[in-house]
Amino acid sequence: MNKIEEDEEQQSLLHAHELINAQDEQIQLQAAKIQQQAALMKRLEEKFETLEEALMSLDAVTSAEATCESDLVIDDLGTNNVQDLATNNSRDNNAAADIDPTSTTASSRTALSRLRTHARGLAFSVFSNIGRSSRRRTNTPQETESTSVEELFYLDEDTYSLMMISRPCSREWLLGIVTFIFFQLWLELLILYNLLNEYYGNCVSVFNPLDRYSATCVPFSVPLYPPLEVTLAQGIALILVLATQSDILTSIHAIITLQKNANNVQWDKLIGEEGNRSFCLWIIRILLPNLAKFIQGAIILFVSFVIIVQSENIIDLLKDFTSLLVVSQADNILFNLAAAGFLGEHLAKRTKEVKTRHIEVGSNPDRNTVGGRDQEGNPPDRKVIRCLPCNVFILKSIIFGGMCCGMIGAWAWFVHGQYSGDFFRLKYPRCYVDYPSAISDGDCNDFSPYNTLECAFDGGDCPIPQEVEGLPGCVVSYPEKLGNGDCDSRLPYNSP
């Protein structure tokens, strides 16, 4: 047994020794890689210093006009190939040596300007590569592109985007139009009709029960004195509505960005009709889907607001809000079903196209650019590249801010009318009671002045009084209380 234990211990020691050797080899490999990185960093820094010296010599002979003109293209040169730095540097130094510093001709100044601009581009490239090498990270294909994220336009993942990339009457186009008409617009209009019908019905049944006088209706028949927790829940629900209902913003963004006459936006390429920029095509494939998206988004936003301010308890508020959220997300739900293959292979493939298609919305597609400059060596127009995205973002911020201010301001107006008693006086102008919140609270206050015509019989909580048979002039809501053995000391029960 001792021998066996010794053998096992010896094997474990050998195994541990092998592991230690393997770790030592890995450490040596890592050290070698670090040395290589340090050597590369040192070479890049030397190149950077060399280019800085070249720039200093060129600055001495370059005029101020050339300096101002060349500064416009520094940030468009991008990241160049590090392996070509030595060749470009040699070419720049030879060119700098051939220039006569005392020459004042126009051709000499132009050559100096181009040489200085190119040298600055190489210096910027070296500096960028040094920064990336120090972080030791790998660029993705999107990061290596010269176009920033702000200059790309992507389609939303919904059925309206399927309409944009598809021809009319195709399967994907029909899916989008059916989703809009039946699953969104029709349901939203039915809900809105029901809300308005209930609103006008309450005006007739509550304010004029005996056709003796008329009163003004409270806007949207909101509760007169809602509990404080319901009011707080309404505010939270409004924030959720504004955060989830993005169809209005995205549709406006698409219409503004993909303008018919925007020559620097390839909307025809985005919808799969490259070269065809006709007005009819833009109307059918760009304007119509986004207009439908805007309409249903505006209706659902209005309906959501009405339902929120009409809520009398938190449970009903959450149920109604969830139902409307499902209706508003019908285009996204059906898109995800199609993407999962439940609606056929063809629609699944088309959804993949929606997810991958994008275009540049800033640069001019008709301009053949190489390395951030066109074939003539001119820098791209920075105003064209930056103007459209910035204006779109500013406009989206203004629209979203207007939506927030409008909805929250309207809700604040309703809250003020409720808690100040303005809506109570509007609904019951002739009702004078000590506790207005007791009106229409669900409990019948079967005594005057609550159970009176002026107070709409406790806001509808009490039955309409009827004359008791055999007792002329005795009009009460509950005849069974008469002669039941309990004394009701208040009018009209305790009366002659």
Side-chain angles (χ1 to χ4, degrees):
M1 291 296 295
N2 294 332
K3 186 175 181 181
I4 294 174
E5 292 178 355
E6 291 177 358
D7 293 338
E8 291 178 354
E9 183 178 358
Q10 186 175 6
Q11 290 179 359
S12 61
L13 291 175
L14 291 175
H15 181 66
H17 185 68
E18 291 177 357
L19 292 176
I20 293 173
N21 291 335
Q23 291 179 357
D24 291 338
E25 292 178 358
Q26 292 179 357
I27 293 173
Q28 292 177 0
L29 291 174
Q30 292 293 335
K33 289 182 180 180
I34 293 174
Q35 291 178 357
Q36 292 177 358
Q37 291 289 339
L40 177 61
M41 289 280 294
K42 186 175 181 181
R43 289 196 298 271
L44 291 175
E45 291 176 356
E46 292 176 354
K47 282 295 180 183
F48 182 75
E49 292 176 357
T50 303
L51 291 175
E52 283 293 335
E53 293 177 358
L55 287 175
M56 292 176 62
S57 62
L58 290 174
D59 285 335
V61 296
T62 304
S63 63
E65 295 178 358
T67 302
C68 295
E69 182 180 359
S70 62
D71 285 340
L72 297 175
V73 296
I74 294 176
D75 57 346
D76 293 317
L77 292 172
T79 57
N80 298 317
N81 194 338
V82 180
Q83 296 178 355
D84 296 335
L85 291 176
T87 304
N88 294 332
N89 186 24
S90 174
R91 187 175 59 222
D92 296 337
N93 292 332
N94 294 334
D98 294 336
I99 296 175
D100 185 8
T102 60
S103 176
T104 58
T105 61
S107 59
S108 176
R109 291 183 178 181
T110 302
L112 286 173
S113 176
R114 291 184 178 179
L115 182 59
R116 182 178 180 275
T117 299
H118 189 63
R120 283 203 173 193
L122 292 175
F124 179 78
S125 176
V126 172
F127 182 76
S128 300
N129 282 289
I130 290 174
R132 284 194 302 273
S133 299
S134 62
R135 290 190 300 266
R136 292 189 297 178
R137 59 186 298 270
T138 304
N139 285 337
T140 61
Q142 293 180 351
E143 291 174 336
T144 56
E145 294 179 356
S146 59
T147 305
S148 65
V149 177
E150 295 179 353
E151 297 169 359
L152 295 179
F153 179 85
Y154 290 89
L155 292 172
D156 293 330
E157 296 182 6
D158 53 31
T159 54
Y160 297 103
S161 297
L162 283 175
M163 295 177 64
M164 293 176 63
I165 68 170
S166 307
R167 296 183 178 181
C169 298
S170 61
R171 279 180 286 180
E172 48 271 33
W173 193 86
L174 291 176
L175 175 63
I177 203 69
V178 168
T179 302
F180 167 66
I181 294 177
F182 293 101
F183 290 96
Q184 291 187 310
L185 184 62
W186 181 247
L187 287 176
E188 292 169 4
L189 292 178
L190 286 177
I191 296 173
L192 183 60
Y193 171 78
N194 182 68
L195 291 174
L196 295 178
N197 189 40
E198 182 180 357
Y199 166 56
Y200 290 112
N202 289 336
C203 291
V204 175
S205 62
V206 174
F207 298 139
N208 198 9
L210 298 180
D211 196 24
R212 292 178 58 182
Y213 79 96
S214 60
T216 305
C217 297
V218 176
F220 301 128
S221 297
V222 298
L224 299 181
Y225 289 96
L228 180 60
E229 61 271 17
V230 174
T231 302
L232 296 177
Q234 289 177 353
I236 296 174
L238 281 177
I239 296 175
L240 293 176
V241 167
L242 292 170
T244 55
Q245 303 300 328
S246 59
D247 288 341
I248 295 179
L249 294 177
T250 54
S251 58
I252 294 177
H253 181 201
I255 293 175
I256 294 176
T257 303
L258 307 177
Q259 300 179 37
K260 167 64 178 64
N261 298 324
N263 295 326
N264 61 327
V265 178
Q266 292 179 305
W267 58 265
D268 51 337
K269 179 181 178 181
L270 181 67
I271 63 176
E273 299 287 343
E274 190 169 4
N276 184 4
R277 299 174 64 89
S278 64
F279 182 73
C280 292
L281 180 66
W282 184 83
I283 290 291
I284 296 174
R285 303 281 289 276
I286 301 296
L287 182 62
L288 181 61
N290 287 284
L291 184 61
K293 189 175 183 179
F294 175 84
I295 291 174
Q296 72 86 17
I299 294 176
I300 203 68
L301 195 64
F302 176 73
V303 172
S304 299
F305 177 79
V306 174
I307 287 180
I308 288 174
V309 297
Q310 285 183 342
S311 301
E312 297 182 2
N313 58 77
I314 298 177
I315 300 299
D316 292 338
L317 171 62
L318 294 179
K319 289 191 297 185
D320 296 337
F321 173 75
T322 304
S323 301
L324 290 176
L325 183 62
V326 173
V327 174
S328 66
Q329 296 294 324
D331 53 329
N332 305 95
I333 294 172
L334 290 176
F335 179 88
N336 292 329
L337 287 176
F342 292 105
L343 303 182
E345 183 180 0
H346 176 72
L347 289 175
K349 292 180 179 179
R350 298 293 282 174
T351 56
K352 291 182 180 179
E353 295 182 17
V354 170
K355 296 178 181 180
T356 56
R357 285 194 183 184
H358 64 275
I359 58 171
E360 298 180 10
V361 297
S363 59
N364 191 343
D366 298 331
R367 197 172 189 178
N368 187 11
T369 60
V370 177
R373 302 169 63 86
D374 60 14
Q375 292 179 344
E376 298 178 356
N378 298 320
D381 189 359
R382 299 303 298 173
K383 294 182 179 180
V384 174
I385 292 179
R386 296 296 182 186
C387 180
L388 181 58
C390 291
N391 288 343
V392 170
F393 292 148
I394 293 174
L395 182 60
K396 288 172 65 177
S397 300
I398 293 175
I399 295 175
F400 182 72
M403 291 169 52
C404 293
C405 293
M407 292 192 66
I408 295 178
W411 171 69
W413 180 80
F414 275 98
V415 173
H416 176 268
Q418 291 170 329
Y419 286 94
S420 65
D422 292 342
F423 289 166
F424 179 84
R425 290 186 290 272
L426 182 65
K427 189 172 185 177
Y428 308 111
R430 303 179 187 179
C431 181
Y432 303 99
V433 295
D434 294 332
Y435 301 100
S437 59
I439 300 291
S440 188
D441 62 349
D443 296 327
C444 175
N445 298 300
D446 192 14
F447 52 88
S448 179
Y450 294 91
N451 191 14
T452 59
L453 179 64
E454 289 75 15
C455 295
F457 308 110
D458 198 23
D461 291 339
C462 297
I464 297 176
Q466 302 292 334
E467 187 176 15
V468 180
E469 185 178 356
L471 297 174
C474 181
V475 181
V476 295
S477 296
Y478 298 99
E480 61 272 14
K481 289 185 177 182
L482 298 174
N484 62 353
D486 294 330
C487 177
D488 295 310
S489 59
R490 296 180 178 180
L491 294 175
Y493 295 94
N494 190 14
S495 62

